[in-house]
Amino acid sequence: MSEARWRLSVDQDGVTIAGDRFRLTTAPQKFAADEAVFGLAESAEMEEIVSELEAMTRRTYGQYCGLARAMEILGERWAPMIIRDLLVSAKGFGDLQKGLPRMAESVLSTRLRELEHTGVVRRRSVPVPAGGSAESVVYEVTAYGRELEDIMLRLGRWGAQLLGDPRPEDIVTPDSLVMALRATFQPQHAAGVRATFELHILDVVVHARIEDGTLRAGAGQVPDADLVLEPGLALRELMTGALTPAAAITGGSIRMMGDSALLGLFTQLFQLPRTATHGHG
């Protein structure tokens, strides 16, 4: 992609922000001292203007194509992860940071501004619990952004074929597991089924509630789980069919509490494609 470049200059005659295809200049004015100039350049207002320009002048492919436009949004580092987490639920800035701990705060701020600018994400104020009239800001996907859900789930299923054993730096988050459950759910096997599963993966707990073909997945424990699973690394093998439920039970590959007969149902309801074969084609 080509990257738009812009320049900021501040002098005693005003402020000029210019790019390859634009030039913005404040009305001519004289500052009393150099300190005033630097005060303007370092003000929060100036930071906001600069950040907005960064979002508006991000890298482009230079092609009049819907896919190119989409990838100018989704192709930015961390943007898909932010959308993934917001598709699970609306979140405050701190909650997003918690789910994406390796993402720099400045990058998160920039990505959120970009996603707001393109209409994928919006912010809204919500009351602070027990905070009287106090409010906090949360981010959520718009109706336009919600259209990405099926795309993200399909992309997750496609990428799952490349999953081997976790890398040393890999982490698991509640939102990533909830989206994984949504992505791997097989509704054709869920007609007439009413069951609740609880999964413990490392220190993360999620649940999946199936009610006659419909899945509701979320973070945390549930008091009425029919089957509680602690599958460890065997989960991927179970979901791809590389490990049968019977072999998992007899071999002690997983720990579980509840009706063990439901393990077979779980592997029917949640399925991963087998690992992709590389080097052919």
Side-chain angles (χ1 to χ4, degrees):
M1 288 191 290
S2 60
E3 184 171 359
R5 298 182 180 278
W6 52 271
R7 299 168 297 281
L8 167 68
S9 61
V10 182
D11 55 34
Q12 292 186 339
D13 293 323
V15 180
T16 298
I17 303 174
D20 298 332
R21 291 175 291 180
F22 71 90
R23 182 182 181 87
L24 302 175
T25 305
T26 61
Q29 53 185 301
K30 293 290 184 180
F31 293 99
D34 289 343
E35 287 77 7
V37 177
F38 289 114
L40 174 63
E42 295 174 0
S43 68
E45 181 180 3
M46 180 58 67
E47 281 189 15
E48 185 174 346
I49 293 171
V50 170
S51 296
E52 189 69 19
L53 282 168
E54 286 178 339
M56 295 173 63
T57 60
R58 64 184 179 276
R59 296 179 297 170
T60 70
Y61 287 102
Q63 295 196 7
Y64 188 69
C65 166
L67 179 61
R69 290 292 188 275
M71 292 310 299
E72 286 168 9
I73 300 171
L74 299 180
E76 292 289 355
R77 183 168 172 82
W78 292 106
M81 302 298 98
I82 295 172
I83 296 170
R84 178 200 67 186
D85 288 5
L86 292 180
L87 283 170
V88 174
S89 64
K91 291 177 175 61
F93 192 90
D95 293 326
L96 284 167
Q97 283 185 301
K98 184 178 179 181
L100 303 166
R102 294 201 176 103
M103 185 180 190
E105 181 176 332
S106 59
V107 175
L108 177 56
S109 296
T110 298
R111 292 293 170 268
L112 286 170
R113 280 192 296 269
E114 291 170 349
L115 292 171
E116 284 187 88
H117 179 72
T118 52
V120 174
V121 167
R122 66 177 166 231
R123 70 176 74 188
R124 63 181 172 89
S125 298
V126 296
V128 176
S133 60
E135 293 185 333
S136 63
V137 173
V138 297
Y139 296 88
E140 63 186 3
V141 290
T142 61
Y144 179 55
R146 180 66 63 179
E147 294 178 16
L148 287 168
E149 182 164 8
D150 185 60
I151 297 169
M152 300 294 281
L153 295 179
R154 288 175 178 270
L155 192 59
R157 284 196 296 270
W158 180 80
Q161 298 177 74
L162 303 174
L163 289 175
D165 291 335
R167 294 170 295 196
E169 70 274 16
D170 286 344
I171 65 171
V172 175
T173 68
D175 287 335
S176 69
L177 285 180
V178 168
M179 287 297 281
L181 288 171
R182 291 182 186 177
T184 58
F185 181 58
Q186 307 295 310
Q188 71 273 19
H189 297 310
V193 173
R194 296 186 183 277
T196 301
F197 300 93
E198 184 177 293
L199 276 73
H200 294 240
I201 310 292
L202 301 177
D203 59 346
V204 176
V205 181
V206 297
H207 63 268
R209 193 183 299 277
I210 295 90
E211 296 182 3
D212 193 19
T214 300
L215 167 68
R216 288 187 294 135
Q221 296 177 303
V222 287
D224 57 343
D226 298 299
L227 182 63
V228 178
L229 294 171
E230 295 184 28
L233 294 179
L235 178 62
R236 179 169 55 87
E237 294 181 323
L238 276 170
M239 295 175 71
T240 61
L243 178 67
T244 66
I249 293 172
T250 58
S253 302
I254 63 173
R255 297 175 59 187
M256 56 186 174
M257 293 183 294
D259 187 355
S260 61
L262 290 176
L263 183 59
L265 176 61
F266 177 85
T267 60
Q268 289 182 323
L269 294 172
F270 300 97
Q271 298 179 14
L272 276 171
R274 289 184 178 269
T275 302
T277 301
H278 305 288
H280 300 284

